[in-house]
Amino acid sequence: MKKLFLLASVALVLASCSKDDSGSNNNPQNPGQSQQGGGQPSQPTTPTPVPVGFVKTIKEYQREVSDSSLLRTTTYTVENNVLKGWEELRKATGKKQTHILTYEGANLKTYKSVDETNGVTEIYTFFYVNNKLDKVTRHREGDEGTKDTYQITLDDQGRITKKNHVGNEGWDGQAWEATFTYTATGVEIQKAGEPKYTITYTGENATRVVQEPSLGVPTNFEYDTTVVNDLNNKYIYLVNIAKLFNRWGIEGYQFATIDSPFVLNSKNVAKNDGTNTYEIEKNDQNKPTKITQKQAGIALQIKVYSY
């Protein structure tokens, strides 16, 4: 069985964890890496493949499934069973945002976001020491001189404990630090000077988010544990962690939403977030084919999946 080290799901990506029965793992730092000394498995040389029958497209509609109600289409690119990226097409504007992944061995090396809406291309580069994530840099294409550097600190279990923005030469302004503190049931995450977020896990699903100081009741997520989440992908998740707390990245308040990186990286698919219900239809492989978001029984948004 897969051994879960919680980093509010960061553990799913950065922690050392044992291989499951299929031989896969949820750690881009490759827990099976070759170490000095004998007896350790050799380091994987290729990226972890996506599951068989990985999602091809997700179409998002407003209130009903019709051409006039289509909001966005996300198309995933898989080559030789490896995720190479995805593209989001907004129907209203005809503009695309393209996300491109490259690898070095089994590790994610770069993530490139090309956004036609604002005309900005951002490139994240991942650096490893002894096959463990050491730092991440971010710059805009054509402006290599303005670069953000994020130093990563891991504990002896391979879990991220600190993310430090170094210096003031990039888009993020002054230096800052975010800390990750582990408990028996989850992780506490806090950027200095901002609220603390406690994320609780049940199995491999993020089920509760508490913000301190509180702005209201905690957010509780319920999951359909019979439905498999294809987007529980360590490389997508690592991209989200690289964006965490960055300017124009992922802010803490998003942790308590259905689009939280921790919910998106959960093993199963959420069916309730305390405010909305999500009616899930699935195929014979227990993957979602249609998810209808409802509030007070009224359909708000619909996602249709193809494989």
Side-chain angles (χ1 to χ4, degrees):
M1 294 296 292
K2 192 183 302 173
K3 190 174 183 181
L4 179 63
F5 292 109
L6 294 172
L7 173 199
S9 194
V10 177
L12 290 178
V13 175
L14 296 176
S16 295
C17 60
S18 60
K19 292 186 177 181
D20 62 19
D21 293 340
S22 67
S24 65
N25 64 68
N26 273 325
N27 176 20
Q29 272 59 260
N30 303 309
Q33 68 206 46
S34 178
Q35 304 285 347
Q36 295 299 319
Q40 295 294 330
S42 62
Q43 151 104 21
T45 57
T46 58
T48 300
V50 298
V52 175
F54 190 77
V55 62
K56 290 183 179 178
T57 65
I58 302 175
K59 293 181 177 290
E60 299 177 41
Y61 299 86
Q62 187 172 24
R63 297 190 181 277
E64 65 178 12
V65 177
S66 67
D67 288 342
S68 61
S69 299
L70 180 63
L71 300 172
R72 178 170 63 179
T73 301
T74 302
T75 303
Y76 294 87
T77 300
V78 174
E79 297 177 7
N80 298 320
N81 299 319
V82 173
L83 180 65
K84 292 301 184 76
W86 60 98
E87 177 186 279
E88 301 170 74
L89 174 62
R90 300 166 180 82
K91 184 182 178 185
T93 63
K95 301 286 189 180
K96 296 185 294 184
Q97 184 171 5
T98 305
H99 309 263
I100 303 166
L101 307 179
T102 67
Y103 302 89
E104 188 173 81
N107 290 327
L108 180 64
K109 184 57 181 176
T110 65
Y111 160 70
K112 182 177 183 178
S113 167
V114 183
D115 194 336
E116 293 182 350
T117 299
N118 58 26
V120 171
T121 296
E122 284 194 329
I123 301 171
Y124 285 79
T125 304
F126 300 80
F127 297 87
Y128 301 83
V129 173
N130 295 326
N131 203 44
K132 294 184 178 180
L133 186 63
D134 179 64
K135 69 178 180 181
V136 181
T137 63
R138 173 180 71 160
H139 72 275
R140 291 187 174 185
E141 194 168 66
D143 186 11
E144 283 74 9
T146 306
K147 182 177 292 185
D148 291 293
T149 299
Y150 306 98
Q151 190 67 48
I152 305 298
T153 303
L154 306 179
D155 66 11
D156 59 3
Q157 295 183 31
R159 302 176 299 189
I160 184 171
T161 58
K162 290 182 183 179
K163 178 183 178 182
N164 290 82
H165 179 254
V166 180
N168 58 1
E169 301 301 321
W171 297 100
D172 250 330
Q174 300 299 313
W176 52 259
E177 178 179 279
T179 59
F180 302 77
T181 305
Y182 300 92
T183 68
T185 57
V187 64
E188 298 171 354
I189 305 175
Q190 185 172 27
K191 181 180 178 181
E194 297 188 3
K196 178 175 73 175
Y197 296 89
T198 300
I199 303 172
T200 300
Y201 280 79
T202 303
E204 295 180 55
N205 295 322
T207 51
R208 183 178 177 90
V209 179
V210 177
Q211 175 181 326
E212 300 176 63
S214 175
L215 297 179
V217 298
T219 302
N220 294 301
F221 297 94
E222 297 178 25
Y223 292 80
D224 185 334
T225 56
T226 69
V227 181
V228 177
N229 176 21
D230 262 359
L231 301 183
N232 171 21
N233 177 282
K234 66 185 182 183
Y235 301 118
I236 295 175
Y237 186 72
L238 186 53
V239 166
N240 287 333
I241 294 307
K243 294 180 177 180
L244 204 62
F245 297 122
N246 303 352
R247 182 177 293 180
W248 310 305
I250 297 173
E251 299 292 342
Y253 72 86
Q254 295 173 267
F255 294 179
T257 71
I258 197 70
D259 294 320
S260 159
F262 310 111
V263 174
L264 292 176
N265 194 58
S266 290
K267 178 180 179 179
N268 300 114
V269 176
K271 64 179 182 180
N272 194 311
D273 64 9
T275 302
N276 304 279
T277 60
Y278 300 86
E279 294 183 358
I280 304 169
E281 299 177 24
K282 63 181 181 177
N283 60 20
D284 291 342
Q285 287 72 47
N286 292 320
K287 297 183 178 185
T289 56
K290 183 178 180 181
I291 300 178
T292 303
Q293 175 190 354
K294 290 186 175 182
Q295 198 172 104
I298 300 173
L300 300 179
Q301 195 170 83
I302 302 167
K303 293 183 178 181
V304 177
Y305 295 69
S306 70
Y307 298 88

